[in-house]
Amino acid sequence: MIVANASIGMPKHDVADLALAAKGKKRILWADQDMPVLTAIRERFEIEKPLAGLRMSACLHVTAETANLARTLKAGGADLLLIASNPLSTQDEVAASLVKDFGIGVAAIHGEDGMSYYKHVAMALEHQPHITMDDGADLVSAMVFIALDKLEKLGGNQKPVQDWASKFTSAQRKTLFEGVIGSMEETTTGVIRLRAMEKDGVLKFPVIAVNDAATKHLFDNRYGTGQSTLDGVIRATNTLLAGKKVVVSGYGYCGKGVASRARGMGSLVIVTEINPVAALEAAMDGFAVMTMAEAARVGDIFITVTGNKHILGAEHFPLMKTGAMVCNSGHFDIEIDLKALEAQCTEIIPDIRHEVEEYRMKSGKKIFVIGHGRLVNLAAAEGHPASVMDMSFATQALATEYCVKNQGKLSNSVHPVPVEVENYIATAKLASMGVSIDKMTADQVSYTTSWEHGT
Ligand code: ADE
């Protein structure tokens, strides 16, 4: 059921079914057990209220882990509206529980179409946020497109936001950013988009690159994407990974994670890359490295994690073996050219299994597409486990506090997360794991800080 406006006693919401709340609450509390760093921050926020009086709009995957971040931001005093950053990642029961049990506004429905997705973006902007939080920079991009009068760019020409945005006079559009203190960005893809905005001079408030914090990308991108991507492939297909040739495209932190986990499951892993240093690293890490034209002929399972478009394109599908499985774990659904594949097919059979479609090619070959080419870890599984999202979302919460504390002092550009925040999170996570580490002696401190010690 869709309720677009706030009903009595409820925050603003547009969710699938509030009756799912009880199931969602169990999921949220289950995840919370594995998020001790975020819990400690929530307890402090509850007392100190660093976000008091601030409206926040967050465009994130609406999962149990995100719910615990939302609870933390609310504990800090924020009036939060959460919308989905991907139509297939929303956990409807979690969305329902956030509204009903935790009093947090949510506009997100699993499987929503482009119109609904962008209606929710419009709701997030109508919330007039002081702070925004993005997973892929859709929210900030929408604001920039509206301010620059580039309405045709909004979500690939989506009507609801255009209709909504066209209500603004040009004078109002220019003031769209007024009152915005800053924004947080969760992903590599989003940070790249935001740096491009900064370069073009269209970024009108500071952004904190949460993705670039060591406590985010070293763990979330590598171990989170590594495990949850294979989890998605396995849940969708129940295929045996041992002995399979798994082609991983892209050897950034996400690709490294997927490749190492696939090797751990006994797969023969092939890496494709365009960056010579990353390709060399993959080769010296012991992976086969080749072009996609070569890999396409031998791969059993293809996983794209590049952040770029058409990694698997028209020229590759005819080379593939029948029964090849293809999926994507990069942020947007652009890495596999599904239109080109469709053009080579006589039939697409949906629901071969949950989140698996069979593309029957004119040659009679079958190619299986998992998760519609969208993030396979969230479409076919539950995304990264809570333990790793603990660090990512602790970084988000503390970056938000930093952004607010430094209101007016940060330039309208992309900023790193302060190293003190990274060290706090790593120390707290180690403590929660019962791990102690050594401290430098005074003599060692002197050795590492002076240039006067010789060999
Ligand atoms: N991105 C990847 N996994 C996620 C999760 N479990 N929750 C929110 N965002 C995610």
Side-chain angles (χ1 to χ4, degrees):
M1 186 187 57
I2 296 174
V3 182
N5 297 316
S7 49
I8 295 165
M10 293 268 191
K12 275 180 224 164
H13 63 278
D14 185 3
V15 300
D17 186 358
L18 285 177
L20 298 172
K23 192 171 162 211
K25 189 173 179 185
K26 284 189 193 151
R27 268 181 98 145
I28 294 169
L29 298 181
W30 175 260
D32 198 40
Q33 300 174 106
D34 235 354
M35 304 182 86
V37 183
L38 189 63
T39 304
I41 295 168
R42 185 158 64 237
E43 284 163 6
R44 177 170 68 76
F45 274 18
E46 195 74 66
I47 299 162
E48 296 178 8
K49 301 280 178 212
L51 312 178
L54 297 178
R55 282 185 304 275
M56 279 190 73
S57 293
C59 180
L60 302 170
H61 299 293
V62 181
T63 64
E65 294 73 31
T66 302
N68 288 314
L69 170 63
R71 291 171 63 200
T72 306
L73 299 170
K74 186 180 181 210
D79 168 9
L80 174 67
L81 179 67
L82 175 64
I83 64 165
S85 60
N86 182 305
L88 292 187
S89 59
T90 300
Q91 297 167 357
D92 285 329
E93 60 277 28
V94 166
S97 175
L98 275 174
V99 173
K100 203 169 165 192
D101 302 318
F102 297 100
I104 293 170
V106 183
I109 298 171
H110 185 92
E112 63 190 322
D113 60 14
M115 296 284 266
S116 167
Y117 183 85
Y118 277 94
K119 184 180 80 178
H120 294 158
V121 170
M123 282 174 74
L125 299 183
E126 267 172 6
H127 191 54
Q128 295 189 311
H130 299 104
I131 296 278
T132 71
M133 197 176 267
D134 251 323
D135 186 309
D138 272 352
L139 215 47
V140 173
S141 306
M143 292 171 99
V144 171
F145 289 142
I146 294 168
L148 295 181
D149 220 353
K150 288 181 184 275
L151 300 194
E152 75 290 353
K153 296 272 185 191
L154 275 173
N157 226 348
Q158 294 287 341
K159 276 269 302 141
V161 193
Q162 288 180 2
D163 290 346
W164 175 79
S166 57
K167 286 188 220 141
F168 284 90
T169 62
S170 55
Q172 281 172 320
R173 276 180 211 177
K174 293 211 171 65
T175 60
L176 194 66
F177 301 121
E178 275 176 18
V180 180
I181 298 171
S183 182
M184 314 310 126
E185 173 54 50
E186 170 82 3
T187 62
T188 314
T189 297
V191 170
I192 291 170
R193 282 173 100 181
L194 291 158
R195 289 223 164 88
M197 287 181 202
E198 177 187 334
K199 187 167 148 277
D200 285 352
V202 297
L203 193 61
K204 300 295 178 202
F205 43 74
V207 172
I208 313 291
V210 170
N211 175 74
D212 294 0
T215 42
K216 200 276 179 180
H217 68 267
L218 283 182
F219 306 96
D220 170 311
N221 299 23
R222 191 160 34 161
Y223 304 116
T225 306
Q227 178 169 321
S228 64
T229 298
L230 296 191
D231 186 10
V233 172
I234 293 168
R235 287 196 206 195
T237 63
N238 197 25
T239 197
L240 182 73
L241 287 171
K244 292 275 165 59
K245 291 202 173 69
V246 174
V247 179
V248 179
S249 293
Y251 204 64
Y253 278 105
C254 295
K256 285 188 177 83
V258 176
S260 82
R261 270 44 200 155
R263 174 154 66 190
M265 297 289 282
S267 301
L268 293 152
V269 179
I270 296 165
V271 170
T272 73
E273 250 297 342
I274 45 91
N275 178 315
V277 177
L280 183 60
E281 192 182 7
M284 292 216 179
D285 283 345
F287 296 110
V289 178
M290 57 184 82
T291 64
M292 184 57 93
E294 293 168 307
R297 295 174 194 279
V298 294
D300 298 302
I301 301 169
F302 294 81
I303 304 172
T304 56
V305 249
T306 68
N308 211 336
K309 65 191 284 198
H310 298 176
I311 303 308
L312 286 174
E315 68 278 30
H316 301 123
F317 304 119
L319 306 176
M320 289 181 180
K321 299 191 284 192
T322 191
M325 296 173 178
V326 301
C327 65
N328 166 52
S329 213
H331 185 78
F332 287 117
D333 57 342
I334 48 163
E335 305 212 9
I336 305 170
D337 188 353
L338 287 180
K339 284 219 173 72
L341 176 58
E342 195 177 338
Q344 296 175 16
C345 289
T346 50
E347 203 184 354
I348 301 171
I349 309 168
D351 258 332
I352 284 287
R353 287 172 59 95
H354 183 57
E355 290 299 342
V356 182
E357 289 171 301
E358 178 183 317
Y359 281 65
R360 185 79 55 88
M361 300 185 75
K362 290 173 187 157
S363 63
K365 268 195 308 198
K366 299 172 184 178
I367 292 182
F368 296 110
V369 176
I370 313 172
H372 305 267
R374 293 194 183 275
L375 282 164
V376 70
N377 59 341
L378 284 141
E382 293 173 57
H384 305 351
S387 178
V388 87
M389 294 316 292
D390 185 28
M391 288 182 281
S392 307
F393 286 160
T395 314
Q396 283 281 13
L398 295 183
T400 306
E401 182 182 37
Y402 166 78
C403 188
V404 171
K405 273 196 180 141
N406 287 282
Q407 180 173 1
K409 292 189 206 146
L410 300 171
S411 57
N412 295 340
S413 53
V414 179
H415 296 264
V417 170
V419 71
E420 298 74 31
V421 167
E422 296 180 326
N423 287 340
Y424 165 80
I425 292 169
T427 305
K429 189 70 178 176
L430 285 169
S432 77
M433 294 161 73
V435 176
S436 310
I437 60 170
D438 292 321
K439 277 198 171 62
M440 281 200 280
T441 61
D443 196 28
Q444 287 169 330
V445 172
S446 152
Y447 184 78
T448 54
T449 50
S450 164
W451 54 270
E452 289 182 357
H453 296 288
T455 48

